[in-house]
C-alpha cells in the first residue's frame, strides 16, 4: 500500500498546480490590453504510481496527483495561416485602390476647364473660323484654344508622372524601412527563442513579438511559414522557423531561416519598370560573415513574370504597388516581359493618353497638309505643315507629355490651312473637315473605336470603374479579414469574463487542495498522537 506521507505530496502538488493556474490566469488578465498578446494556459499532466511487483496483485494504488509541466499559448495554426493569406489579399486591393484613386484625383474632369472642356472650346472656335476663314483674330483664337488642349494634355501627363514618382518612392520606403527591417527583426527573435528553448524556458512573450511581425509581414507579400523540430538531445528539441514566398509553380525562396535572413532591393530598370530582387547573399544575426547557402539567391528577380512560374510576389502591398506601377493592361506584350504585367496600371493609362495625343496630332496634321483642286500637292511632306509636334520635332513619337503647337503655327496663326482651294482662299472647306474630324470615329492601338470625346469618356470611365471595383474588392476582403481576426481572437485573445470564471474555478481547486492537506494532517495527527494510548 502507499505510504501515509505520500498523500502530503499529492496535496502539495494539487496546491502547486492550482497556484500555477491562478498565476497564469492573473498574467492573462494583466495583459488583456497588450497588443499581440496570446492567451496562455498551464500544461498540467497526471502523475501515476507504478509497481515493480513481479506478479499481479489486488492492491489499489491511487495516482500521485498532478504536475504543471509548462506554460503554453492557445493558438490555432490554421486560423493564423488563413488570417495571413487574407491579410495579403486585403492589403493588395487596398494599395491598388489607393493608388488608382491618386491617379483619378489628378485627372480631374469635373471642371469644364479640363480636357473635355478644352476640346469643346476648340471645336467651337473652329466653327467660328468656318464662318470667317480669313479672320486673323479668329485664327489666333483657334491657335490659342488648340494650345489649351495641348497644355491640358501636358498637365495630365506631368501629374501622372508625379503619381508614378510618388508610388516608386513609396515602394522604396516600404522595402527599405518596413519589409527589410521586419525580416531582420524576425531573424533576431528566432535566435533569442532558440536560445531560450535550449535553456528549457518557455519564450511565450518572444513568440508574441514574432507573431506580430509575421502578421505585419503578411500584409506586404504572400509569405509561407514552416516549422520543424531540431533534435538537440534525447530530451530536448528546438524549433526551426522558416519564412518563404512561392511562385506559381510552388517554388520556394526563403526570406528567413532561423537566424539567417535575406534583404530585398527595389529599383527601376531601363524601361522604367520597378523590379524587386534579392539584395546580395543571406545575412546572419550572430555572425555578419556567415551565410546560408540554401538562401543565397543574390540578384534573383521576385517579380519576373517572364520566368517559369511567374512572379513570386502575388499578394500584399508590394504586389498591389507592382501591379499599379508596372501594369500595362492591354499594352502588355503577348509574352509578358520581365516586370511587365497585364494589370491596367499606370503604364496603361500613360500609354492610352499618349495614343490620344498621337491620334489627335496625326488627324489635324494630315488635314493641314492639303492639296489644291487640280490635285497638285501643296505640301509633299506632311512634316512640313504640322499643327502639332513633339517638343523635339522630327524625333520620336508625339506623347501627351511632349505634344506642343508647332513652331510654324506658333509663329503664324494663319499657318492653319482653311481650304484646299488655292485659287479662292476665302473658302473654309478644310476647316469643315477639321470640324467633322472631331466627331469622326478612329481606331486606337488599345482596340477602342470612337471619336475624341468618346475616347476620353471611355478613358475616364475605365479609370473610375477600376477605382470602384478595387474599392469594393478592398472592402470585401477587409470584411473577411475582420471576421478571421475575430475568430482568431476568440481563441487566442483574452476575455475578462472567461478569465474571471477560470480564476474562480482555480481558486476552488486551491481551496480543495488545502482542505485535502488539512484532512491528511488530521489523519496523521490521529495516528501519531492517539493510536497506541489505550488504557492510558
Amino acid at each position: 500500500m502507499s505510504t501515509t506521507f505520500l498523500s502530503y505530496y499529492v496535496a502539495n502538488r494539487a496546491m502547486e498546480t492550482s497556484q500555477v493556474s491562478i498565476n497564469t490566469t492573473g498574467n492573462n488578465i494583466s495583459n488583456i490590453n497588450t497588443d499581440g498578446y496570446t492567451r496562455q494556459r498551464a500544461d498540467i499532466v497526471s502523475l501515476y504510481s507504478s509497481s515493480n511487483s513481479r506478479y499481479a496483485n489486488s492492491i489499489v494504488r491511487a495516482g500521485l496527483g498532478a504536475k504543471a509541466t509548462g506554460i503554453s499559448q492557445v493558438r490555432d495554426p490554421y486560423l493564423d495561416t488563413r488570417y495571413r493569406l487574407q491579410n495579403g489579399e486585403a492589403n493588395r486591393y487596398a494599395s491598388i485602390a489607393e493608388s488608382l484613386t491618386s491617379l483619378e484625383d489628378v485627372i480631374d474632369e469635373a471642371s469644364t476647364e479640363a480636357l473635355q472642356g478644352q476640346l469643346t472650346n476648340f471645336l467651337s472656335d473652329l466653327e467660328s473660323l468656318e464662318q470667317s476663314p480669313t479672320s486673323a483674330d479668329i485664327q489666333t483664337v483657334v491657335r490659342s484654344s488648340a494650345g489649351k488642349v495641348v497644355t491640358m494634355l501636358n498637365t495630365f501627363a506631368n501629374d501622372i508622372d508625379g503619381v508614378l514618382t510618388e508610388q516608386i518612392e513609396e515602394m522604396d520606403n516600404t522595402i527599405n524601412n518596413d519589409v527589410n527591417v521586419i525580416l531582420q527583426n524576425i531573424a533576431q527573435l528566432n535566435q533569442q527563442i532558440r536560445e531560450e528553448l535550449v535553456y528549457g524556458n518557455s519564450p511565450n512573450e518572444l513568440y508574441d513579438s514574432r507573431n506580430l511581425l509575421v502578421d505585419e509581414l503578411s500584409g506586404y507579400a504572400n509569405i509561407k511559414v514552416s516549422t520543424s523540430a531540431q533534435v538537440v538531445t534525447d530530451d530536448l528539441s528546438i524549433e526551426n522557423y522558416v519564412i518563404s514566398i512561392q511562385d506559381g509553380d510552388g517554388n520556394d525562396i526563403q526570406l528567413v531561416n532561423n537566424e539567417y535572413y535575406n534583404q530585398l532591393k527595389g529599383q527601376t530598370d531601363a524601361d522604367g519598370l520597378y523590379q524587386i530582387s534579392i539584395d546580395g547573399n543571406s545575412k546572419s544575426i550572430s555572425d555578419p560573415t556567415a551565410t546560408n547557402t540554401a538562401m543565397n539567391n543574390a540578384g534573383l528577380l521576385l517579380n519576373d513574370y517572364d520566368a517559369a512560374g511567374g512572379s513570386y510576389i502575388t499578394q500584399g502591398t508590394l504586389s498591389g504597388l507592382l501591379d499599379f506601377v508596372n501594369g500595362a493592361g492591354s499594352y502588355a506584350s503577348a509574352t509578358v516581359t520581365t516586370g511587365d504585367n497585364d494589370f491596367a496600371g499606370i503604364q496603361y493609362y500613360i500609354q492610352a493618353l499618349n495614343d490620344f495625343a498621337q491620334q489627335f496630332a496625326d488627324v489635324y496634321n494630315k488635314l493641314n497638309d492639303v492639296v489644291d483642286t487640280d490635285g497638285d500637292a501643296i505640301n509633299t511632306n506632311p512634316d512640313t505643315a504640322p499643327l502639332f509636334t513633339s517638343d523635339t520635332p522630327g524625333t520620336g513619337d508625339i506623347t501627351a507629355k511632349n505634344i506642343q503647337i508647332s513652331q510654324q503655327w506658333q509663329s503664324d496663326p494663319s499657318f492653319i490651312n482653311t481650304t484646299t482651294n488655292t485659287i479662292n482662299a476665302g473658302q473654309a472647306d478644310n476647316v469643315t473637315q477639321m470640324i467633322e474630324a472631331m466627331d469622326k470615329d478612329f481606331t486606337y492601338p488599345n482596340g477602342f473605336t470612337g471619336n475624341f470625346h468618346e475616347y476620353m469618356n471611355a478613358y475616364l470611365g475605365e479609370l473610375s470603374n477600376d477605382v470602384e471595383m478595387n474599392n469594393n474588392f478592398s472592402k470585401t476582403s477587409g470584411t473577411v479579414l475582420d471576421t478571421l481576426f475575430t475568430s482568431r481572437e476568440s481563441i487566442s485573445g483574452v476575455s475578462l469574463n472567461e478569465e474571471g470564471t477560470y480564476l474562480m474555478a482555480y481558486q476552488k481547486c486551491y481551496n480543495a487542495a488545502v482542505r485535502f492537506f488539512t484532512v491528511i494532517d488530521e489523519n496523521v495527527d490521529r495516528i501519531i498522537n492517539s493510536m497506541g494510548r489505550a488504557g492510558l
Side-chain angles (χ1 to χ4, degrees):
M1 60 176 293
S2 301
T3 65
T4 302
F5 288 96
L6 180 62
S7 299
Y8 280 109
Y9 291 105
V10 176
N12 183 62
R13 292 189 185 108
M15 294 171 62
E16 287 180 347
T17 55
S18 297
Q19 187 63 58
V20 170
S21 296
I22 291 172
N23 292 342
T24 304
T25 304
N27 185 51
N28 288 339
I29 293 173
S30 65
N31 284 282
I32 193 169
N33 294 319
T34 301
D35 189 25
Y37 178 80
T38 301
R39 184 167 67 88
Q40 299 178 6
R41 68 182 177 195
D43 298 325
I44 300 174
V45 298
S46 174
L47 299 180
Y48 65 94
S49 61
S50 62
S51 173
N52 293 325
S53 175
R54 184 173 181 180
Y55 303 103
N57 58 73
S58 59
I59 298 175
V60 177
R61 293 182 175 87
L64 302 181
K67 179 181 180 181
T69 59
I71 307 296
S72 62
Q73 294 182 316
V74 184
R75 295 190 74 93
D76 186 336
Y78 171 75
L79 283 177
D80 281 341
T81 301
R82 285 282 292 111
Y83 175 83
R84 288 162 184 167
L85 289 174
Q86 189 63 34
N87 192 30
E89 179 180 311
N91 277 273
R92 175 177 180 267
Y93 286 126
S95 64
I96 290 175
E98 183 179 355
S99 299
L100 287 173
T101 300
S102 298
L103 181 59
E104 186 181 40
D105 288 342
V106 303
I107 307 177
D108 181 15
E109 279 292 327
S111 170
T112 57
E113 301 300 320
L115 182 58
Q116 295 277 48
Q118 298 304 335
L119 288 172
T120 300
N121 292 339
F122 180 55
L123 175 62
S124 177
D125 292 336
L126 283 174
E127 291 171 344
S128 297
L129 183 61
E130 185 183 29
Q131 301 301 318
S132 303
T134 59
S135 171
D137 290 342
I138 297 179
Q139 289 172 350
T140 302
V141 170
V142 170
R143 184 188 63 183
S144 176
S145 62
K148 291 180 179 179
V149 172
V150 167
T151 300
M152 189 56 63
L153 285 169
N154 297 156
T155 300
F156 279 177
N158 288 327
D159 288 345
I160 292 173
D161 277 354
V163 173
L164 178 59
T165 299
E166 290 174 359
Q167 297 303 311
I168 290 176
E169 290 176 354
E170 183 175 349
M171 289 278 280
D172 290 337
N173 290 332
T174 298
I175 291 172
N176 297 324
N177 300 330
D178 295 328
V179 176
N180 284 342
V181 173
I182 291 173
L183 292 174
Q184 183 175 354
N185 288 341
I186 291 176
Q188 179 73 51
L189 286 169
N190 284 344
Q191 184 192 35
Q192 295 174 9
I193 289 170
R194 286 164 63 85
E195 289 175 353
E196 291 296 320
L197 291 173
V198 168
Y199 291 126
N201 299 325
S202 297
N204 290 327
E205 284 68 27
L206 295 177
Y207 286 145
D208 286 339
S209 297
R210 185 176 66 184
N211 282 322
L212 272 176
L213 290 175
V214 174
D215 286 348
E216 186 178 357
L217 183 63
S218 70
Y220 292 108
N222 46 297
I223 61 171
K224 184 183 75 171
V225 177
S226 304
T227 58
S228 61
Q230 177 182 337
V231 177
V232 178
T233 67
D234 291 341
D235 300 323
L236 177 63
S237 295
I238 60 176
E239 173 191 71
N240 282 323
Y241 196 87
V242 176
I243 297 177
S244 57
I245 54 176
Q246 288 184 335
D247 67 4
D249 288 340
N251 300 311
D252 282 352
I253 293 296
Q254 293 184 1
L255 298 179
V256 176
N257 187 326
N258 293 330
E259 68 168 282
Y260 294 95
Y261 64 98
N262 272 319
Q263 297 280 266
L264 306 185
K265 178 182 180 181
Q267 60 184 2
T268 53
D269 62 13
D271 297 323
L273 300 177
Y274 199 87
Q275 309 288 8
I276 299 178
S277 59
I278 301 294
D279 186 16
N281 289 326
S282 68
K283 299 169 179 59
S284 169
I285 294 297
S286 61
D287 184 359
T289 64
T291 61
N292 184 329
T293 55
M295 299 176 64
N296 291 342
N297 295 291
L300 174 68
L301 287 179
L302 299 181
N303 61 311
D304 187 356
Y305 291 86
D306 196 36
S311 174
Y312 284 96
I313 302 174
T314 59
Q315 292 292 350
T317 300
L318 291 181
S319 175
L321 290 173
L322 282 170
D323 281 345
F324 178 75
V325 171
N326 294 348
S330 58
Y331 294 101
S333 57
T335 56
V336 181
T337 58
T338 300
D340 178 282
N341 69 64
D342 57 6
F343 178 83
I346 198 169
Q347 302 296 335
Y348 169 81
Y349 287 101
I350 289 174
Q351 188 57 51
L353 192 63
N354 288 341
D355 285 347
F356 175 86
Q358 183 72 65
Q359 185 68 38
F360 182 79
D362 286 347
V363 167
Y364 285 98
N365 285 348
K366 289 177 182 178
L367 287 173
N368 205 52
D369 181 33
V370 297
V371 296
D372 64 16
T373 54
D374 297 328
D376 298 325
I378 295 176
N379 296 306
T380 57
N381 183 352
D383 290 337
T384 62
L387 296 177
F388 305 96
T389 64
S390 68
D391 53 8
T392 53
T395 60
D397 295 332
I398 290 176
T399 67
K401 189 174 184 178
N402 66 27
I403 188 173
Q404 63 178 18
I405 300 296
S406 67
Q407 290 296 326
Q408 298 97 314
W409 197 14
Q410 192 67 43
S411 301
D412 181 9
S414 65
F415 183 72
I416 183 171
N417 290 319
T418 58
T419 180
T420 60
N421 192 327
T422 57
I423 298 174
N424 185 358
Q427 296 185 12
D429 58 297
N430 203 44
V431 178
T432 301
Q433 293 187 62
M434 291 182 179
I435 293 172
E436 292 173 347
M438 190 65 70
D439 291 324
K440 187 177 180 181
D441 289 347
F442 302 100
T443 299
Y444 294 80
N446 61 5
F448 178 84
T449 299
N451 62 40
F452 293 129
H453 281 287
E454 290 171 342
Y455 183 88
M456 286 308 301
N457 283 334
Y459 178 87
L460 297 169
E462 184 175 10
L463 177 56
S464 178
N465 288 337
D466 284 347
V467 171
E468 182 179 5
M469 179 182 67
N470 283 281
N471 272 323
N472 290 336
F473 285 159
S474 178
K475 291 177 182 177
T476 301
S477 58
T479 300
V480 175
L481 183 66
D482 291 340
T483 301
L484 287 170
F485 178 80
T486 301
S487 298
R488 192 169 71 160
E489 282 297 295
S490 68
I491 295 174
S492 300
V494 178
S495 168
L496 189 59
N497 291 334
E498 288 184 2
E499 297 303 320
T501 302
Y502 292 144
L503 192 61
M504 288 188 293
Y506 296 143
Q507 180 62 40
K508 289 181 179 180
C509 290
Y510 187 88
N511 292 339
V514 171
R515 179 58 183 159
F516 176 44
F517 205 107
T518 302
V519 169
I520 299 302
D521 187 59
E522 291 175 353
N523 290 343
V524 173
D525 178 70
R526 178 62 62 88
I527 293 172
I528 294 176
N529 297 318
S530 300
M531 290 180 67
R533 296 179 61 84
L536 295 180

